[in-house]
Amino acid sequence: MNKIIDFFQKKFRYIKIKDDEPRPRDKKRREHTMKNIGHALTVIGTTISAMMLVLVIMICIVAIVVVAYVLDFADSGFDMNLRNAEKMYTTFIYARDAEGQEVEVKRLFDERNRIWVDYEDISPNILKAVVATEDKRFSTHKGVDWRRTVFALAMDIVSSDESNVRQGGSTITQQLIKNITEDDEQTWERKLREIFRALEIEKKYTKEQIIESYLNNIGWGGMNYGVGAACEAYFGKQASEVTIAEAAILAGMIRNPNIRSPYTDLANCKASQEYALDNMYEQGYISTAEYEAAYKEKVQFKNTVIGDAFGYIDPRSLKNDEDEEDPDEDAPDDDTYEAYRWDEYEVTQNWYVDAAINQVVSDYAELKGISETSARKEIYNGGYKIYINEDIEMQNKLEEVYKDPYLVVTSYNKNAPANELVQAAFVVMDYSGTVKAIAGGLGDKPGINCFNRATMAVRSPGSTMKPISVYATAVQNNLITYSTMIPNAPIWIIGDYGGKEQWPWNFGPAWGTGEPTLVWSGVRQSLNTIAVRVAQMLTPQVCYNQLTQNLGITTMTEADIALSPVSLGALTEGIKLVELAAAYQMFGNGGIYYRPMLYNRVLDVRDNVILEQNYIGNQAIDPDAAWITNRMLRTVVTNPGTGAATAQLPNIEVVGKTGTSNDSKNFTFVGLTPEYVGAYWVGYEGGQEFGRDLPDYHRYTATVWHDTMIKLVDTSQSSKFVPESTVLERRYCLDTGLLASSKCTNTDIGYYRQNNIPNMCSGDHEAEIEKIKDHWADIDAANLAALG
């Protein structure tokens, strides 16, 4: 204090005015004032100290939270496969065209159409446009653009709208993390997680890998996700072909693709494109000339656009008012219906693609050990490449033929409900198990993934069961030869009511003639009596095993281990037409069974094979047994007295077998050419009986088979089956079925295995026939005695 007084004494002249005595009251007042000031300073100091302490505590809490997050991510070892989203990518289906080229026939996706495009296949124009528009410091930051983040933080703090928490500060890396993890909660905790994750991802992946994944994950409007789908949807191009102007459109759409889509608002799309072009130009990605050219480019869009924002009017958007009709005029009534016509449905895939998808889904489910529902979801969203066996040209022809109901029926009621309509199906396959074409129904295809009668329907095969179950198996087991004679007579069985009765009956004579009949003639005439007797020799169990274990029939049950199911086709459920066709392969390829395959391979996004066709078949019967049965089937279509003769094709050798279920509800014909197996089924949709429940207006099965196959095969060149070299061709006696001797005048050529050749006929035909009758009489007596 003295120093302060000395300072003022030196600086100013002291002037004494008056000497006054000090007043005690003023002294007390000064002391009281000083006490108040001291108290105030104490309160202020305490308050400031408390505030500083609170601030320190808050900083510590924030630091602890930050450390906790850092430690949490460090402990969990956060990582993210940038191609995890490949499980949500579009699957492609390919088939071969007439030139043998694999072409795309279908795309599969569930909720998102997404096509993965590798970095090197993305146009540099797209890369530049997106970086310039979305993250201009992408090449230099380490996952987080701190300047943008701080600015966004400041904007959030001053914002009065609590819901507007998040100004744009996210880098491409951060956006990618949010898209893949789907962690988009609008909180600071989520933002903090995103920042740490971005920093971590940038340490593990290159910028090229990050932007590649980003461009393949973001949505571009509607169901289009990823740059591949976007380029195809908007420009009909590959991602490598996009121009600067087109790339700017894509970049401008990212923030709000549904609003900025050219298909939604062309003017808004143009404004967004210009914004992107401005950014590209200002950041030096394009030259002045490129900028001006892109600005003026009249971009052509894949679909119709409305407006002239891009300097032209899309002619597809123009309507001729004079030609435009009243939308209500001539419109069909809501209850308009015509049988076999379902044109109001938009069918985007044919019968074959339906069936191929189902087979892939089933095989994938088995491979992965998951349900078919889960398998279908994975197939639709897994970015797979499915190569199907469809012969596109043949499939198109087959579908066109089966659109016309008059291929199958002679007349029909156009107002009949669907369950009272005659329906039909057809399958064509080669001898390696490759299904070439399918018609799953008659008339218009009513939609996608609809009921396919060629691959899903389970119907009685009737007599088409006999060659695959009975005759070929008996030849294989040396129980019969081509010319064995068997009585055309029923056998004794225990009937439904517990008594003994004779069974079965033939179509025509109730029980048959009773006379010994050549086996091949039994095949040609489709005699039930002969087939049942052969099955009895084999036993139903052997026939059942042949069908289920060697010939791939999946619809039989143990209840079918009986004479009627295995010999006459009277199955508990029935057989799928495609499986029936596959079982007949063995008669044209040397006895080999191949599973019927509608696809040959399935590749994942890395082109790894996950499913493929097995071209190593199962030797169901020996080649010689197959050829002998083939020759029996040849007699079916060469006999002018049978309806099956109408199946013959010019220049093409045909063998085959008809089938009619016992209740006359199902009619089938399986025919073979040297190249293909063709299987045809016809029946009422509701399972009604022809001629009893509903009229019998269908054309003969062999005739329909002929009219179908003649459209599918080349008949300009002669084609015959190749004989099996080990089979012996010998003349046999038509009267006895034995090898012909010099005394036999009524002979023909028969086909025999080298280890199962008939005896020589003595020439005494009556005596030989008596021997045959006695042999079978003994068998019948033994079987009757066994019934008790």
Side-chain angles (χ1 to χ4, degrees), residues 467-530:
I468 59 175
S469 173
V470 175
Y471 293 117
T473 311
V475 172
Q476 172 69 19
N477 285 277
N478 287 336
L479 295 178
I480 62 172
T481 70
Y482 180 84
S483 58
T484 296
M485 299 199 83
I486 299 174
N488 179 14
I491 63 172
W492 287 98
I493 63 169
I494 300 297
D496 294 335
Y497 300 101
K500 298 176 184 178
E501 61 181 54
Q502 288 187 301
W503 172 87
W505 49 268
N506 290 321
F507 182 78
W511 302 116
T513 63
E515 293 297 315
T517 302
L518 295 164
V519 164
W520 67 259
S521 182
V523 174
R524 184 183 68 181
Q525 298 179 71
S526 198
L527 298 176
N528 294 337
T529 51
I530 305 297

Coordinates of all heavy atoms in Angstrom, one line a residue, residues 467-530:
P467 N -42.6 -102.6 -68.5 CA -41.2 -102.8 -69.0 C -40.1 -102.5 -68.0 O -39.1 -103.3 -67.9 CB -41.1 -101.9 -70.2 CG -42.5 -101.6 -70.6 CD -43.3 -101.6 -69.4
I468 N -40.3 -101.4 -67.2 CA -39.2 -101.1 -66.3 C -39.2 -101.9 -65.0 O -38.1 -102.1 -64.4 CB -39.3 -99.6 -65.9 CG1 -40.7 -99.2 -65.3 CG2 -39.1 -98.7 -67.1 CD1 -40.8 -97.8 -64.8
S469 N -40.4 -102.4 -64.6 CA -40.5 -103.1 -63.3 C -40.4 -104.6 -63.6 O -39.7 -105.3 -62.8 CB -41.8 -102.8 -62.7 OG -42.0 -103.6 -61.5
V470 N -41.0 -105.1 -64.6 CA -41.2 -106.6 -64.8 C -40.3 -107.1 -65.9 O -39.5 -108.0 -65.6 CB -42.7 -106.9 -65.0 CG1 -42.9 -108.3 -65.3 CG2 -43.5 -106.4 -63.9
Y471 N -40.6 -106.7 -67.1 CA -40.0 -107.4 -68.2 C -38.5 -107.3 -68.3 O -37.7 -108.3 -68.4 CB -40.6 -107.0 -69.6 CG -42.0 -107.4 -69.7 CD1 -43.1 -106.4 -69.8 CD2 -42.4 -108.7 -69.7 CE1 -44.4 -106.8 -69.9 CE2 -43.7 -109.1 -69.8 CZ -44.7 -108.2 -69.9 OH -46.0 -108.5 -70.0
A472 N -37.9 -106.1 -68.1 CA -36.5 -105.9 -68.2 C -35.8 -106.6 -67.0 O -34.7 -107.2 -67.2 CB -36.1 -104.4 -68.1
T473 N -36.4 -106.6 -65.8 CA -35.9 -107.2 -64.7 C -35.8 -108.7 -64.8 O -34.9 -109.4 -64.4 CB -36.7 -106.8 -63.4 OG1 -36.9 -105.4 -63.4 CG2 -36.0 -107.3 -62.1
A474 N -36.9 -109.3 -65.4 CA -36.9 -110.7 -65.7 C -35.9 -111.1 -66.7 O -35.3 -112.2 -66.6 CB -38.3 -111.1 -66.1
V475 N -35.7 -110.3 -67.7 CA -34.7 -110.7 -68.7 C -33.3 -110.6 -68.0 O -32.5 -111.5 -68.2 CB -34.7 -109.7 -69.9 CG1 -33.5 -109.9 -70.8 CG2 -36.0 -109.9 -70.7
Q476 N -33.1 -109.6 -67.2 CA -31.8 -109.4 -66.5 C -31.6 -110.6 -65.6 O -30.4 -111.1 -65.5 CB -31.9 -108.2 -65.7 CG -30.7 -107.9 -64.7 CD -29.4 -107.7 -65.5 OE1 -29.4 -107.3 -66.6 NE2 -28.3 -107.9 -64.8
N477 N -32.6 -111.2 -65.0 CA -32.4 -112.3 -64.1 C -32.6 -113.7 -64.8 O -32.7 -114.7 -64.1 CB -33.4 -112.2 -63.0 CG -33.1 -111.1 -62.0 OD1 -32.3 -111.3 -61.1 ND2 -33.6 -110.0 -62.1
N478 N -32.6 -113.7 -66.1 CA -32.7 -114.9 -66.9 C -34.0 -115.7 -66.6 O -34.0 -117.0 -66.8 CB -31.5 -115.8 -66.7 CG -30.2 -115.2 -67.4 OD1 -30.4 -114.4 -68.4 ND2 -29.1 -115.5 -67.0
L479 N -35.0 -115.1 -66.2 CA -36.3 -115.8 -66.0 C -37.1 -115.9 -67.2 O -38.0 -116.8 -67.3 CB -37.1 -115.1 -64.9 CG -36.5 -115.0 -63.5 CD1 -37.3 -114.3 -62.5 CD2 -36.2 -116.5 -63.0
I480 N -36.9 -115.0 -68.2 CA -37.6 -115.1 -69.5 C -36.6 -114.8 -70.6 O -35.6 -114.2 -70.4 CB -38.8 -114.1 -69.5 CG1 -38.3 -112.7 -69.4 CG2 -39.8 -114.5 -68.5 CD1 -39.4 -111.6 -69.6
T481 N -37.0 -115.1 -71.8 CA -36.3 -114.7 -73.0 C -37.2 -113.9 -73.8 O -38.4 -113.7 -73.5 CB -35.8 -115.9 -73.8 OG1 -36.9 -116.6 -74.4 CG2 -35.0 -116.9 -72.9
Y482 N -36.8 -113.4 -75.0 CA -37.6 -112.6 -75.9 C -38.8 -113.4 -76.3 O -39.9 -112.8 -76.5 CB -36.7 -112.3 -77.1 CG -37.4 -111.5 -78.2 CD1 -37.5 -110.1 -78.1 CD2 -38.0 -112.1 -79.3 CE1 -38.2 -109.3 -79.0 CE2 -38.7 -111.4 -80.3 CZ -38.7 -110.0 -80.1 OH -39.4 -109.3 -81.1
S483 N -38.7 -114.7 -76.4 CA -39.8 -115.6 -77.0 C -40.3 -116.6 -76.0 O -41.0 -117.6 -76.4 CB -39.3 -116.3 -78.2 OG -38.2 -117.1 -78.0
T484 N -40.1 -116.4 -74.7 CA -40.7 -117.3 -73.7 C -42.2 -117.3 -73.8 O -42.8 -116.2 -74.0 CB -40.3 -116.9 -72.3 OG1 -38.9 -117.0 -72.1 CG2 -41.0 -117.8 -71.2
M485 N -42.8 -118.5 -73.7 CA -44.3 -118.6 -73.8 C -44.9 -118.7 -72.4 O -44.4 -119.5 -71.6 CB -44.7 -119.7 -74.6 CG -44.2 -119.6 -76.1 SD -45.1 -120.6 -77.2 CE -46.5 -119.6 -77.6
I486 N -45.8 -117.8 -72.1 CA -46.5 -117.7 -70.8 C -48.0 -117.7 -71.0 O -48.5 -117.1 -71.9 CB -46.0 -116.5 -70.0 CG1 -44.5 -116.5 -69.8 CG2 -46.7 -116.3 -68.7 CD1 -44.0 -115.2 -69.2
P487 N -48.7 -118.5 -70.2 CA -50.2 -118.6 -70.3 C -50.8 -117.2 -70.2 O -50.6 -116.4 -69.3 CB -50.6 -119.5 -69.2 CG -49.4 -120.3 -68.9 CD -48.3 -119.4 -69.1
N488 N -51.7 -116.9 -71.2 CA -52.5 -115.6 -71.1 C -53.7 -115.9 -70.2 O -54.8 -116.1 -70.7 CB -52.9 -115.2 -72.5 CG -53.7 -113.9 -72.5 OD1 -53.8 -113.2 -71.5 ND2 -54.4 -113.7 -73.6
A489 N -53.5 -116.1 -68.9 CA -54.5 -116.5 -68.0 C -54.2 -115.9 -66.7 O -53.1 -115.7 -66.3 CB -54.6 -118.0 -67.9
P490 N -55.3 -115.6 -65.8 CA -55.1 -115.1 -64.5 C -54.5 -116.1 -63.6 O -54.4 -117.3 -63.9 CB -56.5 -114.7 -64.1 CG -57.4 -115.7 -64.8 CD -56.7 -115.9 -66.1
I491 N -54.1 -115.6 -62.4 CA -53.5 -116.4 -61.4 C -54.5 -116.4 -60.2 O -55.5 -115.6 -60.2 CB -52.2 -115.9 -60.9 CG1 -52.3 -114.5 -60.3 CG2 -51.1 -115.9 -62.0 CD1 -51.1 -114.0 -59.6
W492 N -54.3 -117.3 -59.2 CA -55.1 -117.3 -58.0 C -54.5 -116.4 -57.0 O -53.3 -116.5 -56.7 CB -55.2 -118.8 -57.5 CG -56.1 -119.6 -58.4 CD1 -55.7 -120.5 -59.3 CD2 -57.5 -119.7 -58.3 NE1 -56.8 -121.1 -59.9 CE2 -57.9 -120.6 -59.3 CE3 -58.5 -119.0 -57.6 CZ2 -59.3 -120.9 -59.6 CZ3 -59.8 -119.4 -57.8 CH2 -60.2 -120.3 -58.8
I493 N -55.4 -115.6 -56.3 CA -54.9 -114.8 -55.3 C -56.0 -114.8 -54.2 O -57.1 -115.3 -54.4 CB -54.7 -113.3 -55.7 CG1 -56.1 -112.7 -56.2 CG2 -53.7 -113.2 -56.8 CD1 -56.0 -111.2 -56.4
I494 N -55.7 -114.2 -53.0 CA -56.7 -114.0 -52.0 C -57.3 -112.6 -52.2 O -56.6 -111.6 -52.3 CB -56.0 -114.0 -50.6 CG1 -55.4 -115.4 -50.3 CG2 -57.1 -113.7 -49.5 CD1 -56.4 -116.5 -50.3
G495 N -58.6 -112.6 -52.4 CA -59.3 -111.4 -52.8 C -59.5 -110.5 -51.6 O -59.1 -110.7 -50.5
D496 N -60.1 -109.3 -51.9 CA -60.4 -108.3 -50.9 C -61.2 -108.8 -49.7 O -61.2 -108.3 -48.6 CB -61.0 -107.1 -51.5 CG -60.1 -106.4 -52.5 OD1 -58.9 -106.5 -52.4 OD2 -60.6 -105.7 -53.4
Y497 N -62.0 -109.8 -50.0 CA -62.9 -110.3 -49.0 C -62.4 -111.6 -48.3 O -63.2 -112.3 -47.6 CB -64.3 -110.6 -49.6 CG -64.9 -109.3 -50.1 CD1 -64.9 -109.0 -51.5 CD2 -65.5 -108.3 -49.3 CE1 -65.4 -107.8 -52.0 CE2 -66.0 -107.1 -49.7 CZ -66.0 -106.9 -51.1 OH -66.5 -105.7 -51.6
G498 N -61.2 -112.0 -48.6 CA -60.6 -113.1 -47.9 C -60.7 -114.4 -48.6 O -60.1 -115.4 -48.2
G499 N -61.4 -114.5 -49.7 CA -61.6 -115.7 -50.5 C -60.6 -115.8 -51.7 O -60.0 -114.8 -52.1
K500 N -60.5 -117.0 -52.2 CA -59.6 -117.2 -53.4 C -60.4 -116.7 -54.6 O -61.6 -117.0 -54.8 CB -59.2 -118.6 -53.6 CG -58.4 -119.2 -52.4 CD -58.2 -120.7 -52.6 CE -57.4 -121.3 -51.4 NZ -57.2 -122.7 -51.5
E501 N -59.6 -116.0 -55.5 CA -60.2 -115.6 -56.7 C -59.2 -115.4 -57.8 O -58.0 -115.3 -57.5 CB -61.0 -114.2 -56.5 CG -60.1 -113.1 -56.1 CD -60.8 -111.8 -55.9 OE1 -61.8 -111.8 -55.1 OE2 -60.4 -110.8 -56.5
Q502 N -59.6 -115.4 -59.0 CA -58.7 -115.3 -60.1 C -58.5 -113.8 -60.5 O -59.5 -113.0 -60.5 CB -59.2 -116.1 -61.4 CG -59.0 -117.6 -61.2 CD -59.4 -118.4 -62.4 OE1 -60.5 -118.2 -63.0 NE2 -58.4 -119.1 -62.9
W503 N -57.3 -113.5 -60.9 CA -57.0 -112.1 -61.1 C -55.7 -112.1 -61.9 O -54.8 -113.0 -61.8 CB -56.8 -111.3 -59.8 CG -56.3 -110.0 -60.0 CD1 -57.0 -108.8 -60.2 CD2 -54.9 -109.6 -59.9 NE1 -56.1 -107.7 -60.2 CE2 -54.8 -108.2 -60.0 CE3 -53.7 -110.3 -59.7 CZ2 -53.6 -107.5 -60.0 CZ3 -52.5 -109.6 -59.6 CH2 -52.5 -108.2 -59.8
P504 N -55.4 -111.2 -62.8 CA -56.1 -110.0 -63.2 C -57.0 -110.2 -64.4 O -57.0 -111.2 -65.0 CB -55.0 -109.0 -63.4 CG -54.0 -109.8 -64.1 CD -54.1 -111.2 -63.4
W505 N -57.6 -109.0 -64.9 CA -58.3 -109.1 -66.2 C -57.5 -108.3 -67.2 O -56.7 -107.4 -66.8 CB -59.7 -108.5 -66.0 CG -59.8 -107.2 -65.3 CD1 -60.0 -107.1 -64.0 CD2 -59.7 -105.9 -65.8 NE1 -60.0 -105.7 -63.6 CE2 -59.9 -105.0 -64.8 CE3 -59.5 -105.4 -67.1 CZ2 -59.8 -103.6 -65.0 CZ3 -59.5 -104.1 -67.3 CH2 -59.7 -103.2 -66.3
N506 N -57.7 -108.6 -68.4 CA -57.1 -107.8 -69.5 C -58.1 -106.8 -70.1 O -59.3 -107.0 -70.0 CB -56.6 -108.8 -70.6 CG -55.5 -109.6 -70.2 OD1 -54.6 -109.1 -69.5 ND2 -55.4 -110.9 -70.6
F507 N -57.6 -105.9 -70.8 CA -58.5 -105.0 -71.6 C -59.0 -105.8 -72.8 O -58.2 -106.2 -73.6 CB -57.7 -103.7 -72.0 CG -58.6 -102.7 -72.7 CD1 -59.5 -101.9 -72.0 CD2 -58.5 -102.6 -74.1 CE1 -60.3 -101.0 -72.7 CE2 -59.3 -101.7 -74.8 CZ -60.2 -100.9 -74.1
G508 N -60.2 -106.1 -72.9 CA -60.8 -106.9 -74.0 C -61.3 -108.2 -73.3 O -62.2 -108.1 -72.5
P509 N -60.9 -109.3 -73.7 CA -61.4 -110.6 -73.1 C -61.2 -110.5 -71.6 O -60.1 -110.1 -71.1 CB -60.5 -111.7 -73.7 CG -60.0 -111.1 -75.0 CD -59.9 -109.6 -74.8
A510 N -62.2 -111.0 -70.8 CA -62.1 -110.8 -69.4 C -60.9 -111.4 -68.7 O -60.3 -110.8 -67.9 CB -63.4 -111.4 -68.8
W511 N -60.6 -112.6 -69.1 CA -59.4 -113.3 -68.5 C -58.3 -113.6 -69.4 O -57.2 -114.0 -69.0 CB -59.9 -114.6 -67.8 CG -61.0 -114.4 -66.8 CD1 -62.2 -114.9 -66.9 CD2 -60.9 -113.7 -65.6 NE1 -63.0 -114.5 -65.8 CE2 -62.2 -113.7 -65.0 CE3 -59.9 -112.9 -65.0 CZ2 -62.5 -113.1 -63.8 CZ3 -60.2 -112.4 -63.8 CH2 -61.4 -112.5 -63.2
G512 N -58.5 -113.5 -70.7 CA -57.5 -113.9 -71.6 C -57.9 -115.2 -72.2 O -58.8 -115.9 -71.8
T513 N -57.1 -115.6 -73.2 CA -57.4 -116.9 -73.9 C -57.0 -118.1 -73.2 O -57.5 -119.2 -73.4 CB -56.7 -116.9 -75.3 OG1 -55.2 -116.9 -75.0 CG2 -57.0 -115.7 -76.1
G514 N -56.1 -118.0 -72.3 CA -55.6 -119.1 -71.5 C -54.5 -119.8 -72.2 O -53.8 -120.7 -71.7
E515 N -54.2 -119.5 -73.5 CA -53.2 -120.2 -74.3 C -51.8 -119.5 -74.0 O -51.7 -118.4 -73.7 CB -53.5 -120.1 -75.8 CG -54.8 -120.8 -76.2 CD -54.6 -122.3 -76.0 OE1 -53.5 -122.8 -76.3 OE2 -55.5 -122.9 -75.4
P516 N -50.8 -120.3 -74.1 CA -49.4 -119.8 -74.0 C -49.2 -118.7 -75.0 O -49.6 -118.8 -76.2 CB -48.5 -121.0 -74.2 CG -49.4 -122.2 -73.9 CD -50.8 -121.8 -74.3
T517 N -48.6 -117.6 -74.6 CA -48.4 -116.4 -75.4 C -46.9 -116.0 -75.3 O -46.3 -116.0 -74.3 CB -49.3 -115.3 -74.9 OG1 -50.7 -115.7 -75.0 CG2 -49.1 -114.0 -75.8
L518 N -46.4 -115.6 -76.5 CA -45.0 -115.1 -76.5 C -44.9 -113.9 -75.6 O -45.7 -113.0 -75.7 CB -44.6 -114.8 -77.9 CG -44.5 -116.0 -78.9 CD1 -44.5 -115.6 -80.3 CD2 -43.3 -116.9 -78.5
V519 N -43.8 -113.7 -74.9 CA -43.6 -112.6 -74.0 C -43.7 -111.3 -74.8 O -44.3 -110.3 -74.4 CB -42.3 -112.7 -73.2 CG1 -41.9 -111.4 -72.7 CG2 -42.4 -113.7 -72.1
W520 N -43.0 -111.2 -75.9 CA -43.0 -109.9 -76.6 C -44.4 -109.6 -77.1 O -44.7 -108.4 -77.1 CB -42.0 -110.0 -77.8 CG -42.4 -110.9 -78.9 CD1 -41.9 -112.1 -79.2 CD2 -43.3 -110.7 -80.0 NE1 -42.4 -112.7 -80.3 CE2 -43.3 -111.8 -80.8 CE3 -44.2 -109.6 -80.3 CZ2 -44.2 -111.9 -81.9 CZ3 -45.0 -109.7 -81.4 CH2 -45.0 -110.9 -82.2
S521 N -45.2 -110.6 -77.4 CA -46.6 -110.3 -77.7 C -47.4 -109.8 -76.5 O -48.3 -109.0 -76.7 CB -47.2 -111.6 -78.3 OG -48.6 -111.3 -78.7
G522 N -47.0 -110.3 -75.4 CA -47.7 -109.8 -74.2 C -47.3 -108.4 -73.9 O -48.2 -107.6 -73.5
V523 N -46.1 -108.0 -74.3 CA -45.7 -106.6 -74.2 C -46.5 -105.7 -75.2 O -47.0 -104.7 -74.8 CB -44.2 -106.4 -74.4 CG1 -43.8 -104.9 -74.4 CG2 -43.4 -107.1 -73.3
R524 N -46.5 -106.2 -76.4 CA -47.2 -105.5 -77.5 C -48.7 -105.3 -77.2 O -49.2 -104.2 -77.4 CB -47.0 -106.2 -78.8 CG -47.6 -105.4 -80.0 CD -47.5 -106.2 -81.3 NE -48.3 -107.4 -81.2 CZ -48.4 -108.3 -82.2 NH1 -47.6 -108.1 -83.3 NH2 -49.2 -109.3 -82.2
Q525 N -49.3 -106.3 -76.7 CA -50.8 -106.2 -76.4 C -51.1 -105.7 -75.0 O -52.2 -105.5 -74.7 CB -51.4 -107.6 -76.6 CG -51.3 -108.2 -77.9 CD -51.9 -109.6 -78.0 OE1 -53.1 -109.8 -77.9 NE2 -51.0 -110.6 -78.1
S526 N -50.0 -105.5 -74.3 CA -50.2 -105.0 -72.9 C -51.1 -105.9 -72.1 O -52.0 -105.4 -71.4 CB -50.7 -103.5 -72.9 OG -50.5 -102.9 -71.7
L527 N -50.8 -107.2 -72.1 CA -51.6 -108.1 -71.4 C -51.2 -108.1 -69.9 O -50.1 -108.4 -69.5 CB -51.4 -109.5 -72.0 CG -51.8 -109.7 -73.5 CD1 -51.4 -111.1 -74.0 CD2 -53.2 -109.4 -73.6
N528 N -52.2 -107.8 -69.1 CA -52.0 -107.8 -67.7 C -51.6 -109.2 -67.1 O -50.8 -109.3 -66.2 CB -53.2 -107.3 -67.0 CG -53.5 -105.8 -67.3 OD1 -52.6 -105.1 -67.7 ND2 -54.8 -105.4 -67.1
T529 N -52.2 -110.2 -67.7 CA -52.0 -111.6 -67.2 C -50.6 -112.0 -67.3 O -50.0 -112.6 -66.4 CB -52.9 -112.5 -68.0 OG1 -52.7 -112.3 -69.4 CG2 -54.4 -112.3 -67.7
I530 N -50.0 -111.6 -68.4 CA -48.5 -112.0 -68.7 C -47.7 -111.2 -67.7 O -46.7 -111.8 -67.1 CB -48.1 -111.7 -70.1 CG1 -49.0 -112.4 -71.1 CG2 -46.7 -112.1 -70.3 CD1 -49.0 -113.9 -71.0

